[in-house]
Amino acid sequence: SYILTQPATDSNKARVSFLLSDEWSYTDTLKAKQFLEQGRAFANGNRYLLALYDFYTAQLLFETDKPQAEKMYLRSDSLLSAFKTKEAYYFRARAWHNYGAIHQLDNDSKTMLAVLIDKTIPLSIQSGDKNYLAQNYSDVGMIFMNQWQYDKAASYYDKAISILEQAP
């Protein structure tokens, strides 16, 4: 949090606050909430940063209020869809992935699989983040492995490996 006391743009301070919120969400939700709200204040009404606020709010709620987290992930995706940047696609992919993960935790692998194939992977491709794309192909492979569909699983694992072999 040292950077938050240094000269920097409010946009950068908002982003750092969001990252600190995400980091603290695993161990101290009160501190995480404080950083989240601090980031919102630094956003100064910036629509893009407020969409990220919704994403990080969902992150904070993931363990404690899954229905509200789902809503916030979908809202974040909707707000981010106005922005055609690699970073916006990346956060949209993450929002959909985590939305699907909530369903998977409720033993709904069908929704998780659909989200990965129809939303997360296409958005990951648009983001240009090859490591994240490979992770999502691997996640699809794992779902098929858990369903004993080994040929399909192998196909997705092969895609993940191929991408990672080409990545720096």
Side-chain angles (χ1 to χ4, degrees), residues 1-8 13 16 20 35 38:
S1 60
Y2 168 77
I3 193 171
L4 297 175
T5 64
Q6 301 305 302
K13 288 181 179 181
V16 168
L20 287 167
F35 279 118
Q38 182 174 295

Side-chain angles (χ1 to χ4, degrees), residues 97 101 104-105 108-110 112-114 116-117 121 133-161:
H97 182 279
Q104 189 169 27
L105 289 170
D108 181 5
S109 293
K110 184 178 179 182
M112 179 64 175
L113 184 60
L116 285 167
I117 291 172
I121 288 174
L133 176 60
Q135 176 188 327
N136 286 297
Y137 279 134
S138 180
D139 288 346
V140 173
M142 186 177 302
I143 290 171
F144 283 128
M145 282 287 292
N146 291 339
Q147 296 173 351
W148 302 293
Q149 297 181 45
Y150 300 119
D151 289 344
K152 287 183 180 180
S155 170
Y156 281 93
Y157 283 133
D158 287 344
K159 286 180 184 184
I161 291 168

